[in-house]
Amino acid sequence: MTQKQDKTRVTVEIRNRSYTIVGDEDASHVRLVASLVDQKMREIHEMNPQLDTASLAVLTAINSMNDYLALKEDYASLLGSIKKERG
Amino acid sequence: MTQKQDKTRVTVEIRNRSYTIVGDEDASHVRLVASLVDQKMREIHEMNPQLDTASLAVLTAINSMNDYLALKEDYASLLGSIKKERG
């Protein structure tokens, strides 16, 4: 594990549990990300009340990763259309 | 909850636990997403072996959401630069 001297440490609460996030992002950004994750977990919980926190979090991660990949494709196709236009 | 008749159901394994994903994506895409989540969880676990599955999954979700937001900003700025150029 790397030394954390230049990193920010932010404690956030997600589904009544605290997590300390260590990273380069500023605290307000970390809090925004955490609140979006908390919200997504709540939405998935409402549709699947039987799931425990670990499953909710795994499904939330899958969801976010899926959104990320879809946006990555959009980004690549936007970039492609620019290159074609300029070419 | 909506009826699932037109949805695909794919069972994936993440950290030795099975999850059934219901959605519109095809099975191979769901498996790709799940393998990326599994890999990210393994990476976070290697750096933080004391964390339980729920924490690992929450941190993975935070990580993926963060990547998504960063890419969303990149996408918006790319779109902005195109508009400016055409403007």
Side-chain angles (χ1 to χ4, degrees):
Chain A
M1 213 166 163
T2 55
Q3 281 294 94
K4 290 169 187 170
Q5 53 217 21
D6 295 309
K7 306 267 181 185
T8 56
R9 297 178 71 86
V10 187
T11 301
V12 295
E13 196 160 306
I14 291 176
R15 292 196 67 76
N16 303 320
R17 220 171 123 170
S18 292
Y19 298 90
T20 300
I21 313 292
V22 181
D24 303 310
E25 313 279 357
D26 63 57
S28 64
H29 180 78
V30 175
R31 284 196 196 95
L32 167 70
V33 174
S35 75
L36 291 171
V37 168
D38 195 37
Q39 188 186 315
K40 211 162 216 179
M41 283 178 72
R42 199 164 48 237
E43 285 166 17
I44 297 176
H45 171 71
E46 276 163 17
M47 289 191 294
N48 309 274
Q50 80 287 4
L51 295 179
D52 62 19
T53 300
S55 300
L56 278 180
V58 166
L59 293 175
T60 301
I62 286 177
N63 219 294
S64 304
M65 182 68 83
N66 191 39
D67 290 349
Y68 175 79
L69 292 179
L71 187 58
K72 206 172 162 186
E73 270 183 37
D74 288 350
Y75 187 88
S77 83
L78 183 60
L79 211 55
S81 73
I82 297 169
K83 280 183 184 154
K84 207 173 163 185
E85 206 171 78
R86 285 182 188 162
Chain B
M1 217 166 162
T2 54
Q3 281 296 94
K4 290 169 190 170
Q5 53 217 20
D6 294 308
K7 306 269 181 182
T8 56
R9 296 178 71 86
V10 187
T11 300
V12 295
E13 196 159 304
I14 292 177
R15 292 196 68 75
N16 302 320
R17 224 171 120 169
S18 292
Y19 298 89
T20 300
I21 313 291
V22 182
D24 303 311
E25 313 280 357
D26 63 58
S28 64
H29 180 77
V30 175
R31 283 196 196 95
L32 167 70
V33 174
S35 75
L36 291 171
V37 168
D38 194 37
Q39 189 186 314
K40 211 163 217 182
M41 282 178 74
R42 198 164 47 238
E43 285 166 16
I44 297 177
H45 172 71
E46 276 163 18
M47 290 190 293
N48 309 276
Q50 80 287 5
L51 295 180
D52 62 19
T53 301
S55 300
L56 276 181
V58 166
L59 293 175
T60 301
I62 286 176
N63 218 295
S64 305
M65 181 69 82
N66 192 38
D67 290 350
Y68 174 77
L69 292 179
L71 187 59
K72 208 172 161 187
E73 269 183 38
D74 288 350
Y75 187 87
S77 83
L78 182 60
L79 211 55
S81 73
I82 297 169
K83 281 183 183 153
K84 208 173 161 184
E85 207 170 79
R86 286 182 186 161

